[in-house]
Amino acid sequence: MARIVICGSGVYTPPQAISNEELVDSFNSYVRRFNHRHAAEIARDDLAALQESSAEFIEKASGIKSRYVLDREGILDPERMCPRLPARGRDEMSIQCEIGLKAARQAMERGGVATGDIDAVIVSCSNYERPYPAIAVEIQQALEIEGFAFDMNVACSSATFALQTAVDSIYRGNARAVLVVSPEICSGHLNFRDRDSHFIFGDVATAFLVAREDCCRSEHVFEVVATRLLTRYSTNIYNGSGFLDRTRPPQEEAGRLFVQEGRKVFKEVVPIATELIRSQLQENGLAPGDIRRAWLHQANLNMNQLIAKKLLGGNVSEDVTPTILDTYANTASAGSVICFHKHHEDLRAEDIGILCSFGAGYSVGSAILRKLVSP
Ligand code: COA
């Protein structure tokens, strides 16, 4: 059996960005307007005054300095605080297909896999602009790929879960190459009026190709040595919106958006992810010190530093655990893939890397990758 490899990746970065300062300016002007409008209730203690946000807090607590978004104007308008992404008709391309295709074409070009050798497309991300038809089938048609396509959702771990699904399909002989696409429009589910989380997410699309080694012609090929997935139920990262909404009394907008207990998530997920990586390495005859690079989930810089420290001891350099969340923020399932995309070309043959995501579910997905000698 030929080895199964990741042989090409792509990232579509939206052209618009928002710095912490710009986001906080807009949030604070919303807070001042709200407190002014409700001054009487606040004075009577019938309503709590809203508190302002701070750019210093955001950077210190999360490591985020800026984020890319599909619509800056709508988000920064204090009377709106939500991106404006007009509906598209049935005869128009969906937004997720459009941005997913940009990343997918890049991954296909870099992977050197012939379109005819790709047998499946998996779109795997945290939110979908419609339940069906699958965005994956739309992308499949646009790229003229034969075979099958489907959408799946494991929130922040969507890409690593799709990686294992792709590997399994190839291993079973059901596909020669699989295209995995993660169009993450996180600004769509982020509550920009919530001080605790308004700064967390950004938008992006990523893609990568998983293939039988003999199907790809690329300079940078990584054998998928092992994959490992884990889930444990928690509502500490939660989005309660769903197709039954119309059967219930209308709820406040906040109830339909992302919400989390950030501190609990931090505390509970760090040991789960660390242990999963540690045991996975051990099962594969590797030690943490063998890790040349860890492309970790990009939610919080302090979280990644702690995981790296627990695994590797001491202070771990940016060279071993590179960061992209400073400029992209949390992009859910796409974060570790962006990190891989931007930081893999310098690795040498036989170098070991870990691609690891963690988040809602809880879910953790990890893959051990080994760089192969260029053909
Ligand atoms: N500006 C200024 N102060 C803020 C603030 C803001 N935007 N948001 C919260 N604060 C305040 C809080 O009110 C609190 O004040 P207090 O100490 O007086 O009570 C203080 O800052 C600490 O708040 P806390 O929520 O405990 O911060 P934190 O250090 O836990 O950082 C996160 C918050 C969200 C950055 C962090 O918990 C995190 O990233 N967790 C992991 C989340 C994760 O991985 N999620 C996956 C999602 S896909």
Side-chain angles (χ1 to χ4, degrees):
M1 168 84 198
R3 290 183 288 202
I4 299 172
V5 299
I6 292 180
C7 60
S9 58
V11 173
Y12 167 70
T13 303
Q16 303 177 30
I18 299 178
S19 69
N20 285 349
E21 289 72 18
E22 291 173 310
L23 196 69
V24 165
D25 268 0
S26 146
F27 181 88
N28 289 350
S29 96
Y30 153 73
V31 165
R32 284 191 291 271
R33 289 177 198 200
F34 179 95
N35 289 345
H36 180 71
R37 267 179 215 151
H38 297 92
E41 294 122 288
I42 293 168
R44 285 196 308 269
D45 269 346
D46 288 343
L47 188 70
L50 296 182
Q51 289 176 278
E52 295 199 355
S53 180
S54 124
E56 295 72 38
F57 167 84
I58 295 170
E59 190 174 337
K60 189 155 178 270
S62 68
I64 296 165
K65 298 178 186 168
S66 179
R67 71 279 300 138
Y68 295 98
V69 293
L70 291 182
D71 178 48
R72 220 180 101 83
E73 208 184 312
I75 294 169
L76 290 179
D77 176 355
E79 294 297 333
R80 179 173 173 84
M81 302 184 86
C82 169
R84 205 178 291 273
L85 303 172
R88 295 188 177 181
R90 276 166 69 169
D91 53 350
E92 291 176 286
M93 183 179 281
S94 69
I95 306 172
Q96 283 183 301
C97 177
E98 185 182 306
I99 65 171
L101 274 176
K102 292 183 183 174
R105 290 201 166 102
Q106 204 185 342
M108 286 165 71
E109 197 180 311
R110 286 175 172 231
V113 179
T115 307
D117 285 345
I118 303 176
D119 295 313
V121 179
I122 304 176
V123 167
S124 196
C125 62
S126 310
N127 290 285
Y128 289 92
E129 64 190 277
R130 63 169 184 249
Y132 47 82
I135 304 292
V137 180
E138 197 183 352
I139 290 183
Q140 175 196 12
Q141 187 211 33
L143 293 172
E144 297 179 4
I145 290 171
E146 299 291 327
F148 61 96
F150 59 91
D151 291 349
M152 58 182 271
N153 181 352
V154 197
C156 289
S157 296
S158 296
T160 49
F161 275 57
L163 169 61
Q164 177 166 302
T165 308
V167 168
D168 290 349
S169 283
I170 298 169
Y171 188 72
R172 295 282 300 160
N174 291 323
R176 290 159 296 166
V178 180
L179 177 65
V180 176
V181 190
S182 301
E184 289 284 14
I185 308 179
C186 299
S187 61
H189 77 152
L190 180 53
N191 185 353
F192 289 96
R193 293 189 180 88
D194 174 26
R195 178 172 176 258
D196 287 345
S197 65
H198 75 110
F199 53 88
I200 285 181
F201 288 112
D203 300 333
V204 78
T206 57
F208 58 89
L209 264 168
V210 189
R212 260 182 15 205
E213 190 185 2
D214 56 315
C215 291
C216 61
R217 267 153 292 285
S218 162
E219 221 185 303
H220 302 286
V221 176
F222 287 81
E223 179 187 3
V224 184
V225 177
T227 58
R228 182 98 181 263
L229 312 178
L230 177 153
T231 47
R232 234 170 252 172
Y233 188 61
S234 165
T235 53
N236 286 335
I237 309 170
Y238 193 76
N239 187 328
S241 67
F243 78 105
L244 294 180
D245 286 351
R246 64 187 279 268
T247 68
R248 297 161 186 163
Q251 54 173 329
E252 294 276 315
E253 186 192 54
R256 291 183 270 113
L257 300 174
F258 165 92
V259 67
Q260 72 170 353
E261 301 284 341
R263 197 144 277 217
K264 282 192 190 159
V265 173
F266 192 120
K267 266 191 160 162
E268 291 171 8
V269 168
V270 166
I272 303 176
T274 311
E275 209 29 61
L276 184 128
I277 297 173
R278 202 198 304 277
S279 60
Q280 189 192 22
L281 286 168
Q282 200 176 14
E283 276 165 23
N284 287 278
L286 295 164
D290 293 325
I291 300 175
R292 171 67 189 88
R293 183 144 303 147
W295 301 285
L296 296 179
H297 182 56
Q298 301 285 314
N300 183 301
L301 181 58
N302 305 322
M303 209 170 174
N304 286 3
Q305 285 172 345
L306 187 56
I307 291 172
K309 199 170 167 183
K310 279 173 175 277
L311 267 177
L312 302 163
N315 284 330
V316 182
S317 70
E318 264 289 305
D319 184 49
V320 178
T321 53
T323 304
I324 58 94
L325 64 83
D326 52 344
T327 48
Y328 281 83
N330 182 345
T331 48
S333 69
S336 55
V337 181
I338 305 172
C339 194
F340 170 83
H341 178 78
K342 291 189 179 283
H343 299 282
H344 71 263
E345 293 191 353
D346 60 319
L347 293 201
R348 302 218 182 109
E350 296 304 320
D351 278 348
I352 294 287
I354 292 277
L355 180 75
C356 182
S357 62
F358 32 87
Y362 295 133
S363 58
V364 185
S366 171
I368 301 177
L369 307 180
R370 178 187 283 117
K371 178 113 188 226
L372 298 180
V373 183
S374 320

